[in-house]
Amino acid sequence: MIKQSDQLNELLAASAKAQGDLKDAAFDSQNPHFKSKYASLSSGLQEIRPVFSKHGLSISQFPCSIPEGYFLVTLLGHGSGQWIQSWMKLTTQKPDMQGVGAALTYARRQMAFAVAGISGDEDDDGNSCLS
């Protein structure tokens, strides 16, 4: 689910400028299952935060529990008050807090990178989907 403010012109202009300054996050982690490198949430946020701040942007992420399940709510905000909000349902492998925590960290990484328009994974041309 995506929601937004009535106007987006200032937010989108700032986002375009920020994306011009952003680089992909440094690959600082290894996926033992796929034997591939990836950028951790921390690595991505280290790239995103200063560039977003320079352009009056912020990213906020909130875990949410409703009867339909656990969700991550990500808000891209601009100093003008304009905003875009997106909800991602968390899929857990284990139905306990560790499972929720793992899903939350993964979702935060994916959503932050998507909002910023950066990459955090090696391009495997979709081959990992075939495993």
Side-chain angles (χ1 to χ4, degrees), residues 22-29 38-52 59 108-109 112-113 116 118-120:
L22 283 166
K23 298 180 186 83
D24 288 339
F27 288 8
D28 63 346
S29 298
Y38 69 96
S40 66
L41 173 61
S42 178
S43 176
L45 292 178
Q46 286 176 17
E47 174 64 30
I48 294 166
R49 285 178 177 145
V51 174
F52 271 27
I59 184 169
R108 286 189 64 212
R109 177 179 167 273
F113 287 27
I118 64 172
S119 175

Side-chain angles (χ1 to χ4, degrees), residues 33-89:
H33 181 70
F34 293 115
K35 311 256 188 293
S36 60
K37 295 179 183 177
Y38 69 96
S40 66
L41 173 61
S42 178
S43 176
L45 292 178
Q46 286 176 17
E47 174 64 30
I48 294 166
R49 285 178 177 145
V51 174
F52 271 27
S53 180
K54 174 183 166 186
H55 294 285
L57 297 167
S58 67
I59 184 169
S60 301
Q61 296 182 300
F62 310 96
C64 179
S65 174
I66 58 176
E68 290 83 2
Y70 296 105
F71 290 81
L72 174 66
V73 181
T74 300
L75 178 74
L76 173 63
H78 183 257
S80 66
Q82 296 176 2
W83 56 273
I84 299 174
Q85 179 189 79
S86 180
W87 289 55
M88 175 187 276
K89 186 170 185 177

